[in-house]
Amino acid sequence: QVQLVESGGGSVQAGGSLRLSCAASGYAVGRYCMGWFRQAPGKQREWVSSFSTYGRNTYAGSVKGRFTISEDNAKNTLYLQMNSLKPDDTAMYYCAGCNQRQEFDYWGQGTQVTVSS
């Protein structure tokens, strides 16, 4: 059974940094695409970043240049390094894993990120 467990969220001031982790079990990080999404209160879930098995990572325009997605195959973990955080980054952040059709199919429970001004 696939389990994705996020951690690393918290409360920081604007300009601060956090690193989110997504530990996978029953799922091989790096085999298929993975990504991070976020959902702010009253808003729809939005895509943040994707890690591609072809080595081409992508980012939403709102986080490009500030966030970096990476993986550690040995630890079977996906990361999201978030720098220069803004209050607009406040949201629940979710890790997602793709199936063999490269569609996001597996989801974690989320970790809360709160950025104060």
Side-chain angles (χ1 to χ4, degrees):
Q1 185 174 355
V2 175
Q3 276 196 316
L4 302 176
V5 180
E6 303 94 334
S7 62
S11 296
V12 296
Q13 289 193 324
S17 298
L18 285 173
R19 188 176 80 155
L20 305 184
S21 299
C22 173
S25 59
Y27 185 89
V29 170
R31 183 173 184 184
Y32 304 118
C33 61
M34 294 190 75
W36 289 93
F37 290 74
R38 67 186 182 186
Q39 186 168 18
K43 295 187 177 181
Q44 290 189 329
R45 185 175 298 189
E46 65 172 354
W47 168 76
V48 175
S49 178
S50 291
F51 182 90
S52 166
T53 55
Y54 302 105
R56 183 171 175 266
N57 302 332
T58 51
Y59 301 90
S62 58
V63 307
K64 198 169 187 178
R66 300 187 298 121
F67 291 10
T68 303
I69 192 170
S70 64
E71 63 164 8
D72 186 329
N73 289 341
K75 295 183 178 180
N76 212 36
T77 300
L78 182 75
Y79 300 99
L80 185 68
Q81 177 66 44
M82 306 187 297
N83 299 328
S84 302
L85 282 161
K86 305 175 181 179
D88 283 349
D89 295 319
T90 295
M92 184 72 78
Y93 282 72
Y94 298 90
C95 169
C98 294
N99 56 27
Q100 60 186 3
R101 295 183 299 275
Q102 301 288 18
E103 303 163 332
F104 288 111
D105 197 17
Y106 307 104
W107 296 86
Q109 293 301 306
T111 185
Q112 177 68 39
V113 171
T114 303
V115 184
S116 58
S117 57

